[in-house]
Amino acid sequence: MKKYSDPPSGQQAENKAPKRVTILDVARAARVSAGTVSNALSGKRQVDPETRARIDAAIAALGYVPNRAARALRHGRSNLIAVCSSMPWQVAGGSSRLGFLMEVVAAVAPVALRHGIAVTLLPAEAEAEGFLDRIALDGAIVIEPLREDPFLRALRAQALPVVVIGQPPVPDWVHVDLDYPAVTRLLCDHLYGAGARRFPLLTGQEDRVVHEETIRAYRAFAAERGMVPEVLRLPEAAGEAGSAALMTERLARRDIDAVLVPVDTFASGVMAAARGLGLVVPHDLRIATRYDGLRARQEVPGLTAVDLNLPEAAAHCIRLLLALIAGEGVPPATPVAPPRLIPRGSTR
Amino acid sequence: MKKYSDPPSGQQAENKAPKRVTILDVARAARVSAGTVSNALSGKRQVDPETRARIDAAIAALGYVPNRAARALRHGRSNLIAVCSSMPWQVAGGSSRLGFLMEVVAAVAPVALRHGIAVTLLPAEAEAEGFLDRIALDGAIVIEPLREDPFLRALRAQALPVVVIGQPPVPDWVHVDLDYPAVTRLLCDHLYGAGARRFPLLTGQEDRVVHEETIRAYRAFAAERGMVPEVLRLPEAAGEAGSAALMTERLARRDIDAVLVPVDTFASGVMAAARGLGLVVPHDLRIATRYDGLRARQEVPGLTAVDLNLPEAAAHCIRLLLALIAGEGVPPATPVAPPRLIPRGSTR
DNA sequence: TTGTATGCGTTATCAT
DNA sequence: ATGATAACGCATACAA
């Protein structure tokens, strides 16, 4: 008896062509028709126990394993969805492997798996290399798209079911609303409540819808409170170091008492800049970020952040996507529970 | 002219059955045969410019998009590989979304993408739910398998090309050797060199090959130096909190001057325990971990860790896997560059 | 340069 | 309960 930990036969340079075993081979060996074998496997039709035994024996003897590509063709389902982010891998996966893409994948994957579908990751490069027409997908989730997002364009061209998580460029796209305006408002109010009277917003430079929404909400808050708004933008790829450099310069002017930094990588940079200038957080400078990831939790002091209810959002995404795949109609916008502030040392 | 940011028509509950456009429809519209359309698309044969124009027009008019499942069947390639980890998602993706699975994916995905193949994540649950026979895979990478790994068993049953990253249960599996014994040795030597004379090893409890190798190397080191070896094991799922609890108790005895904690999540727990007891790292207690992730870098002080050369390992994995998929023979073991210590404050 | 025919492996439909 | 047949959509060998 072979143990499963035996080396895989045929992986070495043995020249035996593996010659795939088909359902027809099994059928022949069991002296039945292919259709019967198929039914035995799927259980969609009654099959004589004795016949079944012969089939099982044949399957075991031949080592038959169904061809998934053929099934996918037949069923019109690949059981695979993509999670797309128009951020380059450098940013999305990140040198710290901590991008929002990974976060969303981490939230989406288990839900998807529970529904019998697997998840593949598609960063910006994938679109460029035309991955959407290389692999068989049942649908896709697009994270925080750009205003003119190549993934959305390509997905629509493919007529694939799509759910956007975050802000879609136009509200007609089926999307799960993370309500970034509310999130921004929450953070602004918190900073203000903590005593901050002048704080710039530091965010990404790309033409991402989420940035627009955030900036809009920030400006609205500033107008309301009579605070002078200041929006600093930095290329996403600049990362922690870029943020630290920019903010070291900005903080040197000593005219602000807090910074609102939605992107957590940038927030780390601001922390570094503050340290470099000898500023004590939160005493000399308060910092609040949006995404409550490992960075926010591990910084010293911890970064005040927001619980975006990602698991719930992910569950919605999958539910919606499955409905779309099934051809059912769904409402374009699905709300998640209101964002919840997670106050930490950085604003206390 | 429609802008691509328009809402996707048909996503709403319009009852129009989308009726897939096939290559044959295009052929008819362009008044050519299906084969010609196919060739025009693939460019594998010369096609008259004028015919080509008609075809292109038809494609555009009908919105034809090739069926990937059919191609996969035809070509015998799905352009998809899986990265499998027998760790449950809870641990692999982690509440901190920072498990080694994510790390490896982050390293593997860009390389794979560059070779035209996408990557899907399969945590332990996926095996249980039989995902390996739900999706069409060209091959798989298995991370730090268990001694009796269900993924390896299933993959062999499917006769799928497999590359193990880490320690395979038997050396015949094609694998990329991260050389954990050397890594362990490196850390032990470093701790010893930093003055530590008694340090337990805290690692995971599962029947994972990497743990065995690590423990073996640790014991060898202890024997050599005349240090009393002490191996503490904790269920992987216990996480940071479990580690903190266990080590709070252990550290209270005040008879050790360092801890070797390969699993970075556990290392965070040890740091927390030390803080709780008022122990100053590294003065009262030195800590070294293996995996140099965000945790190691963000802890205060930073955790001494090891550069495992993951990007290089990932590149090897893909290269080997592609070779196996192409039916070429490959050596069972591929080494990566020697591990390099990254000394940080936790052992200084 | 283009058309025709066949097969990839599976499953659904119809017949027995 | 089972068998025969067609079809899923594409790409190739071969013929023209």
Side-chain angles (χ1 to χ4, degrees):
Chain A
M1 167 190 156
K2 296 194 88 163
K3 290 190 52 196
Y4 70 85
S5 56
D6 281 357
S9 49
Q11 280 209 0
Q12 315 307 337
E14 309 168 9
N15 275 3
K16 69 152 86 153
K19 183 82 165 56
R20 212 153 187 9
V21 178
T22 79
I23 205 171
L24 205 60
D25 299 321
V26 174
R28 273 193 280 267
R31 301 188 310 283
V32 292
S33 78
T36 303
V37 176
S38 176
N39 289 322
L41 286 173
S42 67
K44 294 206 175 171
R45 251 177 19 181
Q46 206 60 253
V47 29
D48 188 284
E50 195 194 333
T51 319
R52 197 192 170 101
R54 284 210 316 282
I55 292 176
D56 290 343
I59 288 178
L62 299 178
Y64 165 75
V65 19
N67 182 318
R68 306 301 150 184
R71 283 203 176 160
L73 173 58
R74 201 53 244 252
H75 287 142
R77 291 279 158 83
S78 62
N79 296 314
L80 183 74
I81 63 170
V83 174
C84 312
S85 165
S86 53
M87 296 228 199
W89 184 261
Q90 183 71 8
V91 181
S95 57
S96 65
R97 278 79 207 248
L98 252 201
F100 197 59
L101 170 63
M102 289 311 238
E103 279 301 326
V104 173
V105 169
V108 161
V111 187
L113 289 169
R114 223 167 297 134
H115 285 85
I117 61 188
V119 172
T120 181
L121 276 70
L122 262 28
E125 293 83 352
E127 213 297 304
E129 301 186 28
F131 265 83
L132 288 178
D133 19 55
R134 293 184 58 80
I135 56 181
L137 251 30
D138 288 344
I141 292 173
V142 177
I143 304 173
E144 285 183 10
L146 299 173
R147 177 145 293 283
E148 310 231 325
D149 198 284
F151 272 118
L152 290 182
R153 190 205 291 106
L155 288 165
R156 202 188 49 163
Q158 303 251 349
L160 274 176
V162 172
V163 175
V164 170
I165 179 165
Q167 297 282 346
V170 293
D172 315 60
W173 285 95
V174 174
H175 66 283
V176 174
D177 194 346
L178 257 25
D179 201 350
Y180 288 120
V183 171
T184 306
R185 185 64 200 213
L186 195 62
L187 288 167
C188 287
D189 283 341
H190 174 73
L191 282 174
Y192 194 89
R197 285 300 171 269
R198 179 158 177 202
F199 53 90
L201 165 68
L202 169 61
T203 190
Q205 205 167 54
E206 288 189 52
D207 195 15
R208 214 167 283 284
V209 187
V210 57
H211 293 156
E212 292 176 24
E213 298 285 325
T214 301
I215 292 171
R216 199 194 323 278
Y218 167 78
R219 287 195 189 281
F221 170 88
E224 203 173 298
R225 294 289 190 182
M227 182 177 83
V228 38
E230 178 182 357
V231 177
L232 304 169
R233 305 193 70 167
L234 203 57
E236 267 77 351
E240 193 172 327
S243 164
L246 174 70
M247 290 308 293
T248 296
E249 194 174 343
R250 180 62 188 83
L251 288 173
R253 279 157 56 189
R254 315 262 165 168
D255 58 351
I256 54 181
D257 50 15
V259 195
L260 176 52
V261 201
V263 181
D264 67 341
T265 314
F266 288 172
S268 282
V270 177
M271 291 291 282
R275 271 193 296 273
L277 292 170
L279 296 175
V280 176
V281 174
H283 183 265
D284 304 321
L285 185 76
R286 299 183 224 294
I287 299 179
T289 188
R290 176 169 54 212
Y291 163 60
D292 180 40
L294 190 65
R295 292 193 110 96
R297 293 195 294 274
Q298 297 257 315
E299 280 288 349
V300 183
L303 300 179
T304 291
V306 175
D307 179 359
L308 296 173
N309 298 301
L310 235 37
E312 183 198 343
H316 284 318
C317 276
I318 298 298
R319 192 172 44 71
L320 293 169
L321 200 48
L322 289 177
L324 286 175
I325 291 171
E328 301 163 18
V330 303
T334 299
V336 298
R340 198 174 48 83
L341 191 86
I342 303 178
R344 294 212 178 84
S346 71
T347 58
R348 250 193 289 269
Chain B
M1 166 186 156
K2 293 194 86 158
K3 289 192 53 197
Y4 69 87
S5 56
D6 280 358
S9 51
Q11 281 210 2
Q12 316 307 337
E14 309 169 9
N15 275 2
K16 68 152 86 154
K19 182 80 166 56
R20 210 152 188 12
V21 178
T22 79
I23 205 171
L24 205 59
D25 299 321
V26 175
R28 272 193 281 266
R31 302 188 310 281
V32 292
S33 78
T36 302
V37 176
S38 176
N39 288 321
L41 286 173
S42 66
K44 293 206 175 171
R45 252 176 21 181
Q46 206 59 254
V47 28
D48 187 285
E50 195 195 333
T51 318
R52 195 189 173 102
R54 283 212 315 282
I55 292 177
D56 288 343
I59 288 178
L62 300 178
Y64 166 75
V65 21
N67 181 317
R68 305 301 150 185
R71 282 202 178 161
L73 173 58
R74 194 56 239 250
H75 287 142
R77 291 282 157 82
S78 63
N79 295 314
L80 182 74
I81 63 170
V83 174
C84 312
S85 166
S86 51
M87 296 229 199
W89 185 261
Q90 183 70 9
V91 181
S95 57
S96 65
R97 277 79 207 249
L98 252 201
F100 198 59
L101 169 62
M102 291 309 240
E103 279 300 326
V104 173
V105 168
V108 162
V111 188
L113 288 169
R114 221 167 297 137
H115 285 85
I117 61 188
V119 172
T120 181
L121 276 70
L122 261 31
E125 293 83 353
E127 212 296 303
E129 301 184 29
F131 264 83
L132 289 178
D133 17 56
R134 292 184 59 79
I135 56 181
L137 252 30
D138 288 343
I141 292 173
V142 177
I143 304 174
E144 285 184 9
L146 299 173
R147 178 145 292 285
E148 311 231 323
D149 199 284
F151 271 119
L152 290 182
R153 190 207 290 106
L155 287 165
R156 202 188 48 164
Q158 303 250 351
L160 275 177
V162 172
V163 175
V164 170
I165 179 165
Q167 298 283 346
V170 294
D172 314 61
W173 286 93
V174 173
H175 66 283
V176 174
D177 194 347
L178 258 23
D179 202 350
Y180 288 118
V183 171
T184 307
R185 185 65 199 214
L186 195 62
L187 288 167
C188 287
D189 282 341
H190 175 73
L191 282 174
Y192 194 89
R197 285 302 172 267
R198 179 159 179 202
F199 52 90
L201 166 67
L202 169 61
T203 191
Q205 205 167 54
E206 287 188 53
D207 195 15
R208 215 167 283 284
V209 187
V210 57
H211 293 157
E212 292 176 24
E213 298 286 326
T214 300
I215 292 171
R216 199 193 325 277
Y218 167 79
R219 287 195 189 283
F221 171 87
E224 203 173 297
R225 293 290 190 181
M227 181 177 85
V228 39
E230 179 182 357
V231 177
L232 303 170
R233 305 192 71 168
L234 203 58
E236 266 78 351
E240 194 172 326
S243 164
L246 173 70
M247 290 306 294
T248 296
E249 194 175 344
R250 180 62 188 83
L251 288 173
R253 280 158 56 190
R254 316 263 164 166
D255 59 350
I256 54 182
D257 51 14
V259 195
L260 176 53
V261 200
V263 181
D264 68 340
T265 314
F266 288 171
S268 282
V270 178
M271 290 291 282
R275 272 193 295 273
L277 293 170
L279 296 175
V280 176
V281 175
H283 183 263
D284 304 321
L285 185 75
R286 299 184 223 295
I287 299 180
T289 189
R290 176 169 53 210
Y291 165 59
D292 180 40
L294 190 66
R295 292 193 109 95
R297 291 196 294 275
Q298 296 258 316
E299 280 289 349
V300 182
L303 299 179
T304 291
V306 176
D307 180 358
L308 296 172
N309 298 301
L310 236 37
E312 183 198 342
H316 284 319
C317 275
I318 298 298
R319 193 173 42 73
L320 292 168
L321 200 48
L322 288 177
L324 287 174
I325 292 171
E328 300 164 17
V330 303
T334 298
V336 298
R340 198 174 49 83
L341 191 85
I342 302 177
R344 292 211 179 84
S346 70
T347 58
R348 250 194 288 267

